[in-house]
Amino acid sequence: MRWMMTVLATVLTQGLCCQAAHADGLADLKSALTRLQEQVPLKAMLDTKTWRRLGEGKDAEETQGQASVGIEDGARGMHLAYGKDILARMDAESLAQARNPNARTPTLNAAREFSPNDLRPMISAASSLSRVLEKAAWKAEQADTCQGKPARLLTFDVAIDTLSDRDRKYVKEYEGHLYVWIADDGTPLASRMIQHESGRAFIVIRFEARQEEQQVYALVGDRLVTVRKESYNRASGAGERDESRVVKTLQLQS
């Protein structure tokens, strides 16, 4: 009996230590996100590349785009600076589209990604990630690597209420996961969120959709920023298929 009690005590101790480590990982992440919200001045160049495919087979239409914009964020707020070459391309594509609605507009397509709602989360990444965690349920922690260096991988389940009420009523199956890689002090290094849903709309239309978002983080003083963000979306239904990818790269400047 004594040996059995010893084994049970060892297992219980290991379990408690494991739980404590898990709690510490989540606590370290939340502490870091609170610490890394300082709005120190930021100057950077954002490059955006877009790709989209509509339809399937020989009838599929594929488009690509690329555009860059300067970003400055400080005491006076966020300012965007468009280079003359980008503005000239946008003007030329707008004119071509006015003459021919089917004209390709790669620069205009990419420039649509420059809205404040898209850019603010990149230059204020701590606040953005904190909001995501509000809809996520802690799941696990394990040792891993990130960009070739030791890291801690935190795993969460993402609730369906990240979708709007209108979208939710059509969803029959949903799965969402969030992965966050952190350093020893809890500083986020990278993250990946995957959401997959399927359902039926208007009784006869069955649909399926998948969204993936990967981010790589860096520090500007005590400010967490996203230096690379890749978003992938795929949706199919009613005989149609829509697939797109957007890659944004933030080049920090002194």
Side-chain angles (χ1 to χ4, degrees):
M1 286 296 294
R2 180 174 296 179
W3 68 269
M4 183 178 294
M5 295 299 293
T6 301
V7 171
L8 290 174
T10 301
V11 172
L12 179 60
T13 300
Q14 291 176 343
L16 291 174
C17 290
C18 184
Q19 291 177 8
H22 288 176
D24 286 346
L26 181 58
D28 288 346
L29 171 59
K30 290 184 175 180
S31 177
L33 292 177
T34 300
R35 183 179 74 250
L36 299 175
Q37 296 197 36
E38 183 178 339
Q39 296 299 296
V40 296
L42 171 73
K43 184 177 182 181
M45 179 65 69
L46 178 71
D47 181 71
T48 298
K49 295 180 180 180
T50 62
W51 171 86
R52 186 178 186 186
R53 181 197 294 270
L54 287 172
E56 294 186 279
K58 64 180 182 179
D59 295 326
E61 296 181 6
E62 187 171 316
T63 59
Q64 299 184 51
Q66 185 276 331
S68 300
V69 66
I71 302 178
E72 287 193 38
D73 189 57
R76 297 174 56 196
M78 184 178 72
H79 300 269
L80 304 183
Y82 293 80
K84 290 184 177 181
D85 59 330
I86 293 293
L87 293 175
R89 283 158 50 192
M90 293 171 66
D91 288 342
E93 290 176 12
S94 295
L95 178 60
Q97 191 174 47
R99 294 173 174 172
N100 178 10
N102 297 318
R104 294 185 177 274
T105 56
T107 308
L108 290 175
N109 293 342
R112 293 190 182 98
E113 299 292 330
F114 295 156
S115 72
N117 287 341
D118 292 317
L119 301 187
R120 287 299 298 175
M122 291 192 68
I123 63 176
S124 299
S127 297
S128 177
L129 185 53
S130 294
R131 289 191 293 271
V132 173
L133 289 176
E134 292 179 359
K135 300 290 187 179
W138 168 265
K139 187 177 180 182
E141 175 183 348
Q142 67 185 65
D144 201 359
T145 59
C146 182
Q147 301 179 57
K149 298 181 179 180
R152 290 186 286 171
L153 171 58
L154 311 184
T155 305
F156 303 83
D157 286 332
V158 179
I160 192 174
D161 57 5
T162 56
L163 304 178
S164 68
D165 291 342
R166 180 180 179 83
D167 291 339
R168 242 184 298 172
K169 68 180 182 180
Y170 298 116
V171 175
K172 302 303 180 183
E173 296 181 6
Y174 172 86
E175 186 177 5
H177 302 288
L178 171 66
Y179 306 91
V180 183
W181 286 263
I182 63 173
D184 285 340
D185 64 352
T187 299
L189 304 173
S191 67
R192 182 186 185 193
M193 185 161 69
I194 303 174
Q195 293 176 286
H196 180 269
E197 60 263 4
S198 62
R200 193 179 298 274
F202 307 111
I203 303 178
V204 296
I205 302 176
R206 180 167 177 80
F207 69 88
E208 183 177 358
R210 181 181 178 88
Q211 302 89 37
E212 295 186 30
E213 184 176 275
Q214 300 183 60
Q215 301 190 64
V216 177
Y217 304 105
L219 295 179
V220 178
D222 282 334
R223 176 179 188 152
L224 187 71
V225 299
T226 298
V227 292
R228 190 178 192 278
K229 179 178 180 179
E230 181 173 345
S231 304
Y232 172 78
N233 292 276
R234 184 185 71 224
S236 59
E240 296 292 335
R241 183 183 177 91
D242 187 352
E243 191 174 6
S244 64
R245 188 183 305 276
V246 178
V247 179
K248 298 178 181 178
T249 305
L250 194 69
Q251 301 176 7
L252 301 173
Q253 301 176 346
S254 56

